[in-house]
Amino acid sequence: MDTCIYHQLKSQPIWLLFLLSLGSSKILCFSLIILKWVYVNFLRPGKNLKKYGSWALVTGPTDGIGKGFAFQLARKGLNLVLVGRNPDKLKDVSDSIKAKYGQIQIKSVVVDFSGDLDEGVKKIKEIIEGLDVGVLINNVGVSYPYARFFHEVDDKLLADLIKVNVEGTTKVTQAVLPGMLKRKKGAIVNIGSGAAIVIPSDPLYAVYAATKAYVDQFSRCLYVEYKKSGIDVQCQVPLYVATKMASIKRSSFFVPSTDGYARAGLRWIGYEPRCTPYWPHSLLWGLIYSLPESIVDAWRLKFCMGIRKRGQMKDSRKKE
């Protein structure tokens, strides 16, 4: 039978054999991509994060994704350094974690990332002195109150976006990295955004998207720089998550809760330099990549214009 098939193929024209070979290779490549996607999302085990160190530092842990990460890291048995600007909220989160995971040690550092950042980073360095901080979650970030054109972005908002999202992430990493280098192990997770990576543009959120693009490239460069030093650097790219920043109250299949996202996020730490841990988000990413950029741009502009209109109406009602 093999001989029969061989003779049948040999009798075919070259161009047909070429097309068959090309088609077969495409099918094989696509099959391998699907198998890899299934493996990394459902079968690949998460790493033992305690091997990086017994402490984890989380910025922005009082709300949203940061709070989810704080609880999930505590569930894995890591002690926590929580860095946020509101001492009351830090205490509430700390008490809640201790009530659920009593054996966990927690240290809180009050830092206003939009204020005196140098003084804040100095306090972080003092707190982590002597601690084997093995995991850093750079989660703190700010966005627009609602969508607006670039010329409508006031100076305060512009300064906060750059200072918190860019300078904050950079300087906290700079504070924690020397200890990881000394111990030759560590994991740094920077929270990026689909606004900078998944969609081709994010009109009416230009500065926010640009700061997250910085986080993505910063992460990739550090990944290459420090991989041989035992330090895994990663940019996680969530799409919409049910948070106050996203103005989404209820979770759904494509919009996970903060705990749901954090559980997925922990499983990816230490692997790829860029990832979207919540698997339904990867389906959306694939769909968006399959569409022409002009269509995605037009849809996103229309969507954000609607957000802008609702935000302006809400502002006008407050003034009345």
Side-chain angles (χ1 to χ4, degrees):
M1 186 174 178
D2 291 341
T3 304
C4 182
I5 294 174
Y6 171 76
H7 285 298
Q8 285 182 341
L9 289 174
K10 191 176 180 181
S11 64
Q12 302 301 320
I14 296 293
W15 64 267
L16 181 58
L17 293 175
F18 174 76
L19 290 178
L20 286 172
S21 299
L22 186 63
S24 298
S25 64
K26 289 290 185 180
I27 292 171
L28 178 61
C29 288
F30 183 73
S31 299
L32 291 174
I33 289 171
I34 294 297
L35 288 173
K36 182 183 177 181
W37 181 84
V38 171
Y39 172 71
V40 300
N41 281 284
F42 304 108
L43 302 176
R44 184 174 67 182
K47 294 193 175 183
N48 180 5
L49 300 183
K50 295 182 81 172
K51 288 184 177 179
Y52 290 116
S54 60
W55 287 81
L57 189 150
V58 184
T59 65
T62 57
D63 289 301
I65 291 174
K67 186 175 181 179
F69 267 113
F71 273 87
Q72 292 303 317
L73 287 165
R75 187 173 67 87
K76 294 292 185 180
L78 275 78
N79 301 313
L80 299 173
V81 178
L82 304 179
V83 183
R85 67 176 181 175
N86 189 315
D88 294 330
K89 286 187 175 182
L90 282 172
K91 186 178 184 305
D92 288 343
V93 172
S94 179
D95 290 346
S96 297
I97 293 173
K98 285 180 179 178
K100 194 168 185 178
Y101 308 103
Q103 77 280 12
I104 299 301
Q105 298 180 57
I106 300 178
K107 296 180 182 291
S108 297
V109 190
V110 178
V111 177
D112 183 357
F113 283 86
S114 64
D116 189 345
L117 190 54
D118 289 335
E119 181 62 28
V121 171
K122 182 181 177 182
K123 288 195 288 185
I124 292 173
K125 288 180 178 179
E126 290 172 354
I127 287 289
I128 67 174
E129 181 69 31
L131 301 180
D132 59 333
V133 177
V135 178
L136 168 61
I137 308 293
N138 270 318
N139 164 76
V140 69
V142 295
S143 184
Y144 294 20
Y146 58 84
R148 58 192 66 186
F149 287 97
F150 177 61
H151 71 273
E152 297 171 334
V153 175
D154 60 76
D155 290 343
K156 177 67 167 62
L157 177 57
L158 179 62
D160 287 350
L161 285 161
I162 296 172
K163 192 167 189 178
V164 177
N165 296 358
V166 174
E167 194 175 351
T169 296
T170 304
K171 289 195 170 181
V172 172
T173 302
Q174 192 178 40
V176 175
L177 189 57
M180 293 180 172
L181 278 171
K182 186 177 180 180
R183 294 182 296 273
K184 296 182 180 179
K185 58 182 179 179
I188 298 172
V189 176
N190 298 322
I191 304 301
S193 172
I197 299 154
V198 177
I199 53 179
S201 70
D202 199 15
L204 280 66
Y205 287 95
V207 182
Y208 172 77
T211 62
K212 289 301 184 177
Y214 168 87
V215 170
D216 178 55
Q217 183 68 352
F218 178 63
S219 304
R220 179 69 189 199
C221 293
L222 294 189
Y223 167 81
V224 176
E225 285 183 38
Y226 294 105
K227 184 66 177 176
K228 291 184 179 179
S229 300
I231 300 169
D232 297 315
V233 184
Q234 180 182 80
C235 180
Q236 294 197 359
V237 187
L239 277 69
Y240 280 120
V241 179
T243 64
K244 290 181 181 178
M245 182 184 288
S247 299
I248 300 175
K249 295 180 180 179
R250 294 183 179 181
S251 60
S252 62
F253 179 72
F254 285 111
V255 182
S257 66
T258 54
D259 282 337
Y261 177 84
R263 281 196 300 272
L266 250 60
R267 289 185 58 251
W268 284 74
I269 293 177
Y271 288 108
E272 292 81 1
R274 179 203 280 169
C275 64
T276 179
Y278 184 65
W279 69 266
H281 284 175
S282 65
L283 298 179
L284 292 175
W285 192 336
L287 173 63
I288 290 169
Y289 263 47
S290 70
L291 298 173
E293 289 188 356
S294 58
I295 291 176
V296 180
D297 283 341
W299 162 76
R300 188 63 184 171
L301 179 60
K302 183 179 180 181
F303 181 81
C304 292
M305 287 293 287
I307 296 175
R308 176 176 178 268
K309 184 177 181 180
R310 291 191 294 274
Q312 288 178 327
M313 290 174 63
K314 189 175 180 179
D315 275 354
S316 64
R317 286 196 297 268
K318 287 180 180 179
K319 293 176 182 179
E320 292 176 356

